[in-house]
Amino acid sequence: MKRSGNTVLVTGGGTGIGLALVEILLKEGNEVIICGRTKATLDDAQKRFPTLKTFVVDLSNAEGREALKTEVNSRFPKLNVLINNAGIYSITDIMHPNYIATLESELATNLIAPVALIHLLMPILEKQYDATIVNVTSGYVFIPSVQSSAYSVTKIGLRAITQSLRFHFRKTSIRVVEVIPPAVDTQMNKGKKISLITTELFAQKVFKGLINGDDEIVVGVSKIGKLLSRIAPKFGFTKMNTDEKKQHIEREVRVDNL
């Protein structure tokens, strides 16, 4: 991805790591559009960054995605970077009565929505001289979380699709990038007694990886998870999930980045 002059759509760009990416993209001279389903959140982001373009939409349903496609087609025909960042994160026991509903909701938002959006926006992206698709997954793609198993499933699935897309487009000018965050200092990780990377530092590392042409951007302690998944997967899984259990976060929790 070139440093400046891009037209970038960031889903879930109104808060957290999405907003941190928006800030650095704007500072580097890019046109940035964000979307989300909470108007107040988008308005706050636009007040902070007046040149930011916003669009209220619920990506978990087909109607919302079609509306976004229409908006992009009419207003941003030079779109060349799509960052699939929006997501839902839940802490729910796998045998909880609401688990299936949680799984269906997270699959719709975290997995189906980004893939559907890629399909819908591909006619625009493939017209550009250089296009980049960025899918934000999680360190859980290496070591799944027992307490957030639904979230882990969606991110592991998105990783598989990202790798498939990269192979599919290998002989074209379209790049497909996976960003794999560690625990970042956002609402998602509020209350966790672990070391958190700031959203600003995370965004800097991601941006550097994008302009360097990296296909996989693994940040912070996610690198340790990747290593453990290769050399000691059972130990890594037991260690991480035991530590999570000790943090007393067994309660049902839902965090939206939409």
Side-chain angles (χ1 to χ4, degrees):
M1 187 185 87
K2 56 189 178 183
R3 178 178 289 273
S4 61
N6 301 289
T7 299
V8 187
L9 170 61
V10 183
T11 69
T15 60
I17 63 176
L19 188 59
L21 286 169
V22 165
E23 181 173 10
I24 195 167
L25 286 165
L26 288 172
K27 285 183 177 179
E28 292 290 341
N30 299 285
E31 180 181 35
V32 182
I33 312 108
I34 63 172
C35 64
R37 65 184 184 188
T38 307
K39 185 176 184 302
T41 299
L42 300 181
D43 288 345
D44 287 343
Q46 193 170 45
K47 288 177 183 176
R48 183 174 172 184
F49 306 110
T51 62
L52 187 62
K53 315 298 192 306
T54 66
F55 187 64
V56 180
V57 64
D58 184 352
L59 295 177
S60 67
N61 62 70
E63 293 79 9
R65 296 190 292 268
E66 285 288 347
L68 180 58
K69 172 190 171 183
T70 300
E71 184 79 2
V72 171
N73 274 325
S74 63
R75 295 180 57 194
F76 310 104
K78 294 183 179 180
L79 179 80
N80 70 310
V81 180
L82 168 63
I83 301 180
N84 282 310
N85 169 69
I88 298 174
Y89 167 83
S90 298
I91 297 173
T92 309
D93 187 276
I94 197 168
M95 294 309 297
H96 191 282
N98 293 334
Y99 183 80
I100 299 304
T102 296
L103 178 61
E104 290 175 340
S105 176
E106 295 198 22
L107 283 169
T109 298
N110 300 354
L111 182 57
I112 295 173
V115 179
L117 205 54
I118 291 168
H119 274 259
L120 290 170
L121 297 179
M122 187 51 62
I124 296 176
L125 293 171
E126 64 186 2
K127 291 179 181 178
Q128 312 307 321
Y129 174 73
D130 58 340
T132 303
I133 298 168
V134 182
N135 291 330
V136 180
T137 60
S138 164
Y140 288 155
V141 301
F142 302 126
I143 303 177
S145 167
V146 171
Q147 295 190 107
S148 302
S149 59
Y151 181 79
S152 299
V153 164
T154 64
K155 294 301 184 178
I156 291 169
L158 187 57
R159 174 172 171 79
I161 287 175
T162 302
Q163 293 173 337
S164 299
L165 285 168
R166 186 179 301 129
F167 184 82
H168 178 82
F169 290 116
R170 69 192 184 282
K171 295 181 180 180
T172 74
S173 61
I174 298 174
R175 285 186 54 230
V176 181
V177 181
E178 181 181 5
V179 172
I180 308 173
V184 183
D185 189 10
T186 64
Q187 182 65 28
M188 171 178 166
N189 293 306
K190 187 176 181 180
K192 289 187 178 181
K193 298 177 181 179
I194 55 177
S195 178
L196 302 174
I197 186 174
T198 66
T199 56
E200 292 79 13
L201 181 57
F202 171 78
Q204 290 170 12
K205 290 181 178 294
V206 171
F207 186 74
K208 180 180 179 181
L210 289 174
I211 62 175
N212 284 346
D214 297 343
D215 287 335
E216 186 177 278
I217 304 172
V218 187
V219 182
V221 296
S222 288
K223 295 177 182 178
I224 299 175
K226 183 177 182 179
L227 178 63
L228 286 174
S229 71
R230 291 177 173 178
I231 65 173
K234 184 175 181 180
F235 169 79
F237 182 83
T238 302
K239 173 65 176 173
M240 188 198 76
N241 284 288
T242 301
D243 288 348
E244 279 199 345
K245 190 72 174 178
K246 289 179 179 178
Q247 292 170 26
H248 303 292
I249 54 175
E250 297 90 344
R251 65 193 185 284
E252 185 176 10
V253 175
R254 177 186 171 108
V255 178
D256 295 354
N257 179 31
L258 302 171

